[in-house]
Amino acid sequence: MTSRDAVPDLAALRPRLPSPLRESADGRLERHGVRLLLKRDDLIHPELIGNKWRKLAPNLAAAAGRTVVTFGGAYSNHLRATAAAGRLLGLPTVGVVRGQELAERPLNPSLARCVADGMRLHFVDRSTYRRKSEPSTLAAVLRAAGAEDAHVVPEGGSNALAVQGCRALGEELRGRADVALIACGTGGTLAGLAAGLGPDGRALGVPVLRGGFLGAEVRALQHAAFGGPRGDWWLDERFHFGGYARTTPALESFAEDFEDRHGMPVERLYVAKMLYALVALAEEGAFARGTTVAAVVTGAPFTG
Ligand SMILES: *Cc1c(COP(=O)(O)O)cnc(C)c1O
């Protein structure tokens, strides 16, 4: 049993913070006078990986022992991270999953991992899922899931607490890099990163979803977290490769080649697209000679 005043002891999980920052030679960047640093957030914790640690940690503290409810699709990195946190900290977790039809099928490996980590799954149809931030819909979903008293973390984990948690990522890069590159889903990590960088750093977000809505989202998240705009950031919307979880043979071979060159696994949903954008931008001459770019490795591949 968990008591509602027991703030989970996150330090007991021994996160590796600040995460390692390693220079890594890449001829495709060197040719353009660009120095590459890899910010290895994927090494923060083996199960609470990357930006998921930074976003979840303040929310787990705020949950103070209550059930944590959150939302995600069938392959959500965020759902898996929340489930793992629940197991490690002894917190009950509920995952609200998009797609009523998934309830009828065998669980995919990602959802099976969530269940193995003790997460209770609650499937909802897509139209309910789309309206999940409307108060009346949210209340009905929580009631149906038997989790009315829970700490609610939104889809992708991006709320004001999460964005504040990601500011530390920017602070760790302060004075070390001119530009920080990051893949974006909800934009919460970019919103915090940009706020932490300080006056000499700029952050470039690479959305992996199509739609062109992300700039407004990042501004709204910064407003919620900090009361207004923070830092110098911009987006390059050209590298979504068709949308979330979409890929192309060119992206796949780029990712395999990057793994060989740099001796590290490349997560395909987000990190591969950001790294592809990095090389493409350097080849376009987007970075002045002498620029140091930090590429944030926000996650690691899920191996089942
Ligand atoms: C969740 C995730 C992101 C996206 O983070 P947002 O804060 O939603 O933009 C980026 N990279 C990886 C590996 C992720 O798992």
Side-chain angles (χ1 to χ4, degrees), residues 51-52 55 77 156 158 183-190 267 270-271 298-300:
N51 65 347
K52 300 302 181 279
K55 289 161 55 154
N77 290 343
S158 286
C184 300
T186 63
T189 310
L190 171 64
E267 192 268 357
Y270 294 94
V271 177
T298 42

mmCIF file with all atom_site columns, all heavy atoms in Angstrom, residues 51-52 55 77 156 158 183-190 267 270-271 298-300, ligand 1:
data_model
loop_
_atom_site.group_PDB
_atom_site.id
_atom_site.type_symbol
_atom_site.label_atom_id
_atom_site.label_alt_id
_atom_site.label_comp_id
_atom_site.label_asym_id
_atom_site.label_entity_id
_atom_site.label_seq_id
_atom_site.pdbx_PDB_ins_code
_atom_site.Cartn_x
_atom_site.Cartn_y
_atom_site.Cartn_z
_atom_site.occupancy
_atom_site.B_iso_or_equiv
_atom_site.pdbx_formal_charge
_atom_site.auth_seq_id
_atom_site.auth_comp_id
_atom_site.auth_asym_id
_atom_site.auth_atom_id
_atom_site.pdbx_PDB_model_num
ATOM   1   N N   . ASN A 1 51  ? 14.274 12.131 -21.944 1.00 0.00 ? 51  ASN A N   1
ATOM   2   C CA  . ASN A 1 51  ? 13.409 13.231 -21.518 1.00 0.00 ? 51  ASN A CA  1
ATOM   3   C C   . ASN A 1 51  ? 12.239 12.721 -20.682 1.00 0.00 ? 51  ASN A C   1
ATOM   4   O O   . ASN A 1 51  ? 11.613 13.485 -19.959 1.00 0.00 ? 51  ASN A O   1
ATOM   5   C CB  . ASN A 1 51  ? 12.940 14.058 -22.721 1.00 0.00 ? 51  ASN A CB  1
ATOM   6   C CG  . ASN A 1 51  ? 12.060 13.278 -23.670 1.00 0.00 ? 51  ASN A CG  1
ATOM   7   O OD1 . ASN A 1 51  ? 11.955 12.054 -23.606 1.00 0.00 ? 51  ASN A OD1 1
ATOM   8   N ND2 . ASN A 1 51  ? 11.428 13.987 -24.583 1.00 0.00 ? 51  ASN A ND2 1
ATOM   9   N N   . LYS A 1 52  ? 11.956 11.416 -20.750 1.00 0.00 ? 52  LYS A N   1
ATOM   10  C CA  . LYS A 1 52  ? 10.856 10.882 -19.946 1.00 0.00 ? 52  LYS A CA  1
ATOM   11  C C   . LYS A 1 52  ? 11.204 10.986 -18.453 1.00 0.00 ? 52  LYS A C   1
ATOM   12  O O   . LYS A 1 52  ? 10.338 11.224 -17.627 1.00 0.00 ? 52  LYS A O   1
ATOM   13  C CB  . LYS A 1 52  ? 10.546 9.444  -20.339 1.00 0.00 ? 52  LYS A CB  1
ATOM   14  C CG  . LYS A 1 52  ? 10.126 9.289  -21.800 1.00 0.00 ? 52  LYS A CG  1
ATOM   15  C CD  . LYS A 1 52  ? 8.887  10.133 -22.129 1.00 0.00 ? 52  LYS A CD  1
ATOM   16  C CE  . LYS A 1 52  ? 8.421  9.985  -23.571 1.00 0.00 ? 52  LYS A CE  1
ATOM   17  N NZ  . LYS A 1 52  ? 9.172  10.802 -24.548 1.00 0.00 ? 52  LYS A NZ  1
ATOM   18  N N   . LYS A 1 55  ? 10.717 14.697 -17.475 1.00 0.00 ? 55  LYS A N   1
ATOM   19  C CA  . LYS A 1 55  ? 9.326  15.127 -17.427 1.00 0.00 ? 55  LYS A CA  1
ATOM   20  C C   . LYS A 1 55  ? 8.541  14.442 -16.320 1.00 0.00 ? 55  LYS A C   1
ATOM   21  O O   . LYS A 1 55  ? 7.661  15.028 -15.696 1.00 0.00 ? 55  LYS A O   1
ATOM   22  C CB  . LYS A 1 55  ? 8.674  14.858 -18.788 1.00 0.00 ? 55  LYS A CB  1
ATOM   23  C CG  . LYS A 1 55  ? 9.201  15.807 -19.857 1.00 0.00 ? 55  LYS A CG  1
ATOM   24  C CD  . LYS A 1 55  ? 8.974  15.350 -21.287 1.00 0.00 ? 55  LYS A CD  1
ATOM   25  C CE  . LYS A 1 55  ? 7.573  15.062 -21.631 1.00 0.00 ? 55  LYS A CE  1
ATOM   26  N NZ  . LYS A 1 55  ? 7.313  15.238 -23.084 1.00 0.00 ? 55  LYS A NZ  1
ATOM   27  N N   . ASN A 1 77  ? 6.274  5.679  -25.841 1.00 0.00 ? 77  ASN A N   1
ATOM   28  C CA  . ASN A 1 77  ? 7.439  5.633  -24.946 1.00 0.00 ? 77  ASN A CA  1
ATOM   29  C C   . ASN A 1 77  ? 7.054  6.160  -23.568 1.00 0.00 ? 77  ASN A C   1
ATOM   30  O O   . ASN A 1 77  ? 7.560  5.695  -22.545 1.00 0.00 ? 77  ASN A O   1
ATOM   31  C CB  . ASN A 1 77  ? 8.574  6.515  -25.485 1.00 0.00 ? 77  ASN A CB  1
ATOM   32  C CG  . ASN A 1 77  ? 9.235  5.949  -26.743 1.00 0.00 ? 77  ASN A CG  1
ATOM   33  O OD1 . ASN A 1 77  ? 9.096  4.784  -27.051 1.00 0.00 ? 77  ASN A OD1 1
ATOM   34  N ND2 . ASN A 1 77  ? 9.957  6.801  -27.458 1.00 0.00 ? 77  ASN A ND2 1
ATOM   35  N N   . GLY A 1 156 ? 1.947  12.231 -23.457 1.00 0.00 ? 156 GLY A N   1
ATOM   36  C CA  . GLY A 1 156 ? 3.329  12.631 -23.690 1.00 0.00 ? 156 GLY A CA  1
ATOM   37  C C   . GLY A 1 156 ? 3.978  13.234 -22.455 1.00 0.00 ? 156 GLY A C   1
ATOM   38  O O   . GLY A 1 156 ? 5.145  13.600 -22.480 1.00 0.00 ? 156 GLY A O   1
ATOM   39  N N   . SER A 1 158 ? 3.556  16.070 -21.013 1.00 0.00 ? 158 SER A N   1
ATOM   40  C CA  . SER A 1 158 ? 3.914  17.486 -21.045 1.00 0.00 ? 158 SER A CA  1
ATOM   41  C C   . SER A 1 158 ? 2.899  18.364 -20.326 1.00 0.00 ? 158 SER A C   1
ATOM   42  O O   . SER A 1 158 ? 1.876  18.737 -20.891 1.00 0.00 ? 158 SER A O   1
ATOM   43  C CB  . SER A 1 158 ? 4.078  17.953 -22.497 1.00 0.00 ? 158 SER A CB  1
ATOM   44  O OG  . SER A 1 158 ? 5.284  17.443 -23.013 1.00 0.00 ? 158 SER A OG  1
ATOM   45  N N   . ALA A 1 183 ? 14.406 16.478 -30.957 1.00 0.00 ? 183 ALA A N   1
ATOM   46  C CA  . ALA A 1 183 ? 13.194 15.987 -31.616 1.00 0.00 ? 183 ALA A CA  1
ATOM   47  C C   . ALA A 1 183 ? 11.991 16.339 -30.756 1.00 0.00 ? 183 ALA A C   1
ATOM   48  O O   . ALA A 1 183 ? 12.062 16.289 -29.533 1.00 0.00 ? 183 ALA A O   1
ATOM   49  C CB  . ALA A 1 183 ? 13.271 14.470 -31.799 1.00 0.00 ? 183 ALA A CB  1
ATOM   50  N N   . CYS A 1 184 ? 10.875 16.678 -31.410 1.00 0.00 ? 184 CYS A N   1
ATOM   51  C CA  . CYS A 1 184 ? 9.687  17.103 -30.678 1.00 0.00 ? 184 CYS A CA  1
ATOM   52  C C   . CYS A 1 184 ? 8.474  16.232 -31.002 1.00 0.00 ? 184 CYS A C   1
ATOM   53  O O   . CYS A 1 184 ? 8.197  15.954 -32.170 1.00 0.00 ? 184 CYS A O   1
ATOM   54  C CB  . CYS A 1 184 ? 9.297  18.531 -31.060 1.00 0.00 ? 184 CYS A CB  1
ATOM   55  S SG  . CYS A 1 184 ? 10.557 19.747 -30.728 1.00 0.00 ? 184 CYS A SG  1
ATOM   56  N N   . GLY A 1 185 ? 7.762  15.842 -29.945 1.00 0.00 ? 185 GLY A N   1
ATOM   57  C CA  . GLY A 1 185 ? 6.432  15.255 -30.078 1.00 0.00 ? 185 GLY A CA  1
ATOM   58  C C   . GLY A 1 185 ? 5.413  16.289 -29.637 1.00 0.00 ? 185 GLY A C   1
ATOM   59  O O   . GLY A 1 185 ? 4.821  16.996 -30.438 1.00 0.00 ? 185 GLY A O   1
ATOM   60  N N   . THR A 1 186 ? 5.252  16.422 -28.335 1.00 0.00 ? 186 THR A N   1
ATOM   61  C CA  . THR A 1 186 ? 4.361  17.457 -27.798 1.00 0.00 ? 186 THR A CA  1
ATOM   62  C C   . THR A 1 186 ? 5.048  18.817 -27.696 1.00 0.00 ? 186 THR A C   1
ATOM   63  O O   . THR A 1 186 ? 4.384  19.837 -27.519 1.00 0.00 ? 186 THR A O   1
ATOM   64  C CB  . THR A 1 186 ? 3.899  17.097 -26.381 1.00 0.00 ? 186 THR A CB  1
ATOM   65  O OG1 . THR A 1 186 ? 5.055  17.047 -25.529 1.00 0.00 ? 186 THR A OG1 1
ATOM   66  C CG2 . THR A 1 186 ? 3.204  15.750 -26.347 1.00 0.00 ? 186 THR A CG2 1
ATOM   67  N N   . GLY A 1 187 ? 6.373  18.844 -27.724 1.00 0.00 ? 187 GLY A N   1
ATOM   68  C CA  . GLY A 1 187 ? 7.112  20.099 -27.592 1.00 0.00 ? 187 GLY A CA  1
ATOM   69  C C   . GLY A 1 187 ? 7.466  20.476 -26.165 1.00 0.00 ? 187 GLY A C   1
ATOM   70  O O   . GLY A 1 187 ? 8.114  21.498 -25.934 1.00 0.00 ? 187 GLY A O   1
ATOM   71  N N   . GLY A 1 188 ? 7.072  19.658 -25.200 1.00 0.00 ? 188 GLY A N   1
ATOM   72  C CA  . GLY A 1 188 ? 7.340  19.989 -23.801 1.00 0.00 ? 188 GLY A CA  1
ATOM   73  C C   . GLY A 1 188 ? 8.834  20.046 -23.481 1.00 0.00 ? 188 GLY A C   1
ATOM   74  O O   . GLY A 1 188 ? 9.294  20.922 -22.739 1.00 0.00 ? 188 GLY A O   1
ATOM   75  N N   . THR A 1 189 ? 9.582  19.125 -24.048 1.00 0.00 ? 189 THR A N   1
ATOM   76  C CA  . THR A 1 189 ? 11.016 19.099 -23.767 1.00 0.00 ? 189 THR A CA  1
ATOM   77  C C   . THR A 1 189 ? 11.703 20.327 -24.362 1.00 0.00 ? 189 THR A C   1
ATOM   78  O O   . THR A 1 189 ? 12.535 20.965 -23.711 1.00 0.00 ? 189 THR A O   1
ATOM   79  C CB  . THR A 1 189 ? 11.644 17.801 -24.303 1.00 0.00 ? 189 THR A CB  1
ATOM   80  O OG1 . THR A 1 189 ? 10.856 16.703 -23.844 1.00 0.00 ? 189 THR A OG1 1
ATOM   81  C CG2 . THR A 1 189 ? 13.068 17.629 -23.801 1.00 0.00 ? 189 THR A CG2 1
ATOM   82  N N   . LEU A 1 190 ? 11.331 20.681 -25.597 1.00 0.00 ? 190 LEU A N   1
ATOM   83  C CA  . LEU A 1 190 ? 11.883 21.890 -26.217 1.00 0.00 ? 190 LEU A CA  1
ATOM   84  C C   . LEU A 1 190 ? 11.545 23.129 -25.388 1.00 0.00 ? 190 LEU A C   1
ATOM   85  O O   . LEU A 1 190 ? 12.404 23.998 -25.178 1.00 0.00 ? 190 LEU A O   1
ATOM   86  C CB  . LEU A 1 190 ? 11.324 22.045 -27.641 1.00 0.00 ? 190 LEU A CB  1
ATOM   87  C CG  . LEU A 1 190 ? 11.641 23.363 -28.342 1.00 0.00 ? 190 LEU A CG  1
ATOM   88  C CD1 . LEU A 1 190 ? 13.149 23.532 -28.572 1.00 0.00 ? 190 LEU A CD1 1
ATOM   89  C CD2 . LEU A 1 190 ? 10.891 23.470 -29.676 1.00 0.00 ? 190 LEU A CD2 1
ATOM   90  N N   . GLU A 1 267 ? 17.311 5.562  -31.618 1.00 0.00 ? 267 GLU A N   1
ATOM   91  C CA  . GLU A 1 267 ? 15.858 5.405  -31.495 1.00 0.00 ? 267 GLU A CA  1
ATOM   92  C C   . GLU A 1 267 ? 15.214 5.946  -32.763 1.00 0.00 ? 267 GLU A C   1
ATOM   93  O O   . GLU A 1 267 ? 15.567 7.027  -33.235 1.00 0.00 ? 267 GLU A O   1
ATOM   94  C CB  . GLU A 1 267 ? 15.405 6.167  -30.229 1.00 0.00 ? 267 GLU A CB  1
ATOM   95  C CG  . GLU A 1 267 ? 13.994 5.893  -29.781 1.00 0.00 ? 267 GLU A CG  1
ATOM   96  C CD  . GLU A 1 267 ? 12.977 6.858  -30.355 1.00 0.00 ? 267 GLU A CD  1
ATOM   97  O OE1 . GLU A 1 267 ? 13.364 7.819  -31.076 1.00 0.00 ? 267 GLU A OE1 1
ATOM   98  O OE2 . GLU A 1 267 ? 11.797 6.658  -30.112 1.00 0.00 ? 267 GLU A OE2 1
ATOM   99  N N   . TYR A 1 270 ? 11.923 9.208  -32.945 1.00 0.00 ? 270 TYR A N   1
ATOM   100 C CA  . TYR A 1 270 ? 12.282 10.610 -32.723 1.00 0.00 ? 270 TYR A CA  1
ATOM   101 C C   . TYR A 1 270 ? 13.739 10.903 -33.084 1.00 0.00 ? 270 TYR A C   1
ATOM   102 O O   . TYR A 1 270 ? 14.028 11.789 -33.873 1.00 0.00 ? 270 TYR A O   1
ATOM   103 C CB  . TYR A 1 270 ? 12.089 10.989 -31.247 1.00 0.00 ? 270 TYR A CB  1
ATOM   104 C CG  . TYR A 1 270 ? 10.672 10.968 -30.746 1.00 0.00 ? 270 TYR A CG  1
ATOM   105 C CD1 . TYR A 1 270 ? 10.143 9.850  -30.122 1.00 0.00 ? 270 TYR A CD1 1
ATOM   106 C CD2 . TYR A 1 270 ? 9.863  12.094 -30.874 1.00 0.00 ? 270 TYR A CD2 1
ATOM   107 C CE1 . TYR A 1 270 ? 8.838  9.840  -29.641 1.00 0.00 ? 270 TYR A CE1 1
ATOM   108 C CE2 . TYR A 1 270 ? 8.573  12.091 -30.387 1.00 0.00 ? 270 TYR A CE2 1
ATOM   109 C CZ  . TYR A 1 270 ? 8.063  10.959 -29.771 1.00 0.00 ? 270 TYR A CZ  1
ATOM   110 O OH  . TYR A 1 270 ? 6.781  10.965 -29.291 1.00 0.00 ? 270 TYR A OH  1
ATOM   111 N N   . VAL A 1 271 ? 14.648 10.179 -32.449 1.00 0.00 ? 271 VAL A N   1
ATOM   112 C CA  . VAL A 1 271 ? 16.064 10.559 -32.509 1.00 0.00 ? 271 VAL A CA  1
ATOM   113 C C   . VAL A 1 271 ? 16.602 10.479 -33.948 1.00 0.00 ? 271 VAL A C   1
ATOM   114 O O   . VAL A 1 271 ? 17.356 11.352 -34.384 1.00 0.00 ? 271 VAL A O   1
ATOM   115 C CB  . VAL A 1 271 ? 16.898 9.681  -31.544 1.00 0.00 ? 271 VAL A CB  1
ATOM   116 C CG1 . VAL A 1 271 ? 18.376 10.021 -31.646 1.00 0.00 ? 271 VAL A CG1 1
ATOM   117 C CG2 . VAL A 1 271 ? 16.403 9.871  -30.105 1.00 0.00 ? 271 VAL A CG2 1
ATOM   118 N N   . THR A 1 298 ? 17.302 11.892 -26.943 1.00 0.00 ? 298 THR A N   1
ATOM   119 C CA  . THR A 1 298 ? 16.212 11.910 -25.971 1.00 0.00 ? 298 THR A CA  1
ATOM   120 C C   . THR A 1 298 ? 15.747 10.530 -25.554 1.00 0.00 ? 298 THR A C   1
ATOM   121 O O   . THR A 1 298 ? 14.946 10.414 -24.614 1.00 0.00 ? 298 THR A O   1
ATOM   122 C CB  . THR A 1 298 ? 15.015 12.687 -26.545 1.00 0.00 ? 298 THR A CB  1
ATOM   123 O OG1 . THR A 1 298 ? 14.872 12.305 -27.932 1.00 0.00 ? 298 THR A OG1 1
ATOM   124 C CG2 . THR A 1 298 ? 15.201 14.178 -26.462 1.00 0.00 ? 298 THR A CG2 1
ATOM   125 N N   . GLY A 1 299 ? 16.185 9.488  -26.272 1.00 0.00 ? 299 GLY A N   1
ATOM   126 C CA  . GLY A 1 299 ? 15.692 8.166  -25.905 1.00 0.00 ? 299 GLY A CA  1
ATOM   127 C C   . GLY A 1 299 ? 16.508 7.072  -26.551 1.00 0.00 ? 299 GLY A C   1
ATOM   128 O O   . GLY A 1 299 ? 17.456 7.342  -27.286 1.00 0.00 ? 299 GLY A O   1
ATOM   129 N N   . ALA A 1 300 ? 16.125 5.852  -26.243 1.00 0.00 ? 300 ALA A N   1
ATOM   130 C CA  . ALA A 1 300 ? 16.807 4.674  -26.773 1.00 0.00 ? 300 ALA A CA  1
ATOM   131 C C   . ALA A 1 300 ? 15.769 3.769  -27.416 1.00 0.00 ? 300 ALA A C   1
ATOM   132 O O   . ALA A 1 300 ? 14.585 3.834  -27.072 1.00 0.00 ? 300 ALA A O   1
ATOM   133 C CB  . ALA A 1 300 ? 17.526 3.941  -25.643 1.00 0.00 ? 300 ALA A CB  1
HETATM 134 C C1  . LIG B 2 .   ? 8.711  11.387 -25.910 1.00 0.00 ? 1   LIG B C1  1
HETATM 135 C C2  . LIG B 2 .   ? 9.926  11.557 -26.733 1.00 0.00 ? 1   LIG B C2  1
HETATM 136 C C3  . LIG B 2 .   ? 10.233 12.775 -27.374 1.00 0.00 ? 1   LIG B C3  1
HETATM 137 C C4  . LIG B 2 .   ? 9.270  13.926 -27.446 1.00 0.00 ? 1   LIG B C4  1
HETATM 138 O O1  . LIG B 2 .   ? 9.247  14.746 -26.329 1.00 0.00 ? 1   LIG B O1  1
HETATM 139 P P1  . LIG B 2 .   ? 8.188  15.950 -26.242 1.00 0.00 ? 1   LIG B P1  1
HETATM 140 O O2  . LIG B 2 .   ? 8.473  16.593 -24.952 1.00 0.00 ? 1   LIG B O2  1
HETATM 141 O O3  . LIG B 2 .   ? 6.826  15.318 -26.269 1.00 0.00 ? 1   LIG B O3  1
HETATM 142 O O4  . LIG B 2 .   ? 8.374  16.832 -27.418 1.00 0.00 ? 1   LIG B O4  1
HETATM 143 C C5  . LIG B 2 .   ? 11.443 12.878 -28.036 1.00 0.00 ? 1   LIG B C5  1
HETATM 144 N N1  . LIG B 2 .   ? 12.286 11.835 -28.098 1.00 0.00 ? 1   LIG B N1  1
HETATM 145 C C6  . LIG B 2 .   ? 12.013 10.637 -27.531 1.00 0.00 ? 1   LIG B C6  1
HETATM 146 C C7  . LIG B 2 .   ? 12.978 9.522  -27.682 1.00 0.00 ? 1   LIG B C7  1
HETATM 147 C C8  . LIG B 2 .   ? 10.827 10.461 -26.827 1.00 0.00 ? 1   LIG B C8  1
HETATM 148 O O5  . LIG B 2 .   ? 10.545 9.259  -26.287 1.00 0.00 ? 1   LIG B O5  1
#
